[in-house]
Amino acid sequence: MPQLSAPDAPDAPHRPRPLTVRLQVSDRGCFLGTVPGTSDPLLVVWPEGTAIGASGDEYVLPSGATATDGSRLSARGAVVPVRSLPSYAEDGYWAMAVDFCTPDAARVLVLTEVRVR
């Protein structure tokens, strides 16, 4: 599961802001999010402390709440270019994760805080 600690999240001009996120699980098992102003679902990069739930098709948030396919979230986060992720490299973790979940995507959705609505 792609996740970042708050200090590792990309900085300005991609400062976190309040967002409403609609989740969907892709046919590859990736959690994608759609936010107002984006047309395509983006790979969600979760805050540190998020874990895969026992069923495998849910994520357990740091608060203990669970997020599943179709969940609506209230979050703080930003849509950021993939290349702004820490230690991004063409053959590195972030490039492989993005290409597996959302081939050829140039942006991801980085969440620094999240709760289920």
Side-chain angles (χ1 to χ4, degrees):
M1 157 194 346
Q3 61 181 293
L4 285 175
S5 64
D8 290 332
D11 269 335
H14 310 291
R15 293 194 197 290
R17 60 183 173 86
L19 297 170
T20 300
V21 181
R22 165 79 68 193
L23 285 183
Q24 69 182 73
V25 178
S26 73
D27 57 351
R28 293 182 176 212
C30 301
F31 276 67
L32 308 178
T34 304
V35 296
T38 62
S39 57
D40 294 323
L42 302 168
L43 176 63
V44 177
V45 178
W46 297 90
E48 185 175 43
T50 304
I52 298 172
S55 68
D57 63 351
E58 65 186 14
Y59 281 178
V60 180
L61 305 174
S63 67
T66 57
T68 61
D69 189 35
S71 290
R72 291 189 59 188
L73 309 174
S74 292
R76 288 193 59 78
V79 175
V80 302
V82 173
R83 293 179 183 278
S84 69
L85 294 168
S87 304
Y88 180 87
E90 292 295 332
D91 58 350
Y93 169 79
W94 289 114
M96 289 188 291
V98 172
D99 283 346
F100 176 79
C101 292
T102 53
D104 302 318
R107 303 179 306 162
V108 294
L109 177 58
V110 176
L111 302 181
T112 56
E113 298 173 23
V114 61
R115 65 184 168 89
V116 178
R117 295 177 85 179

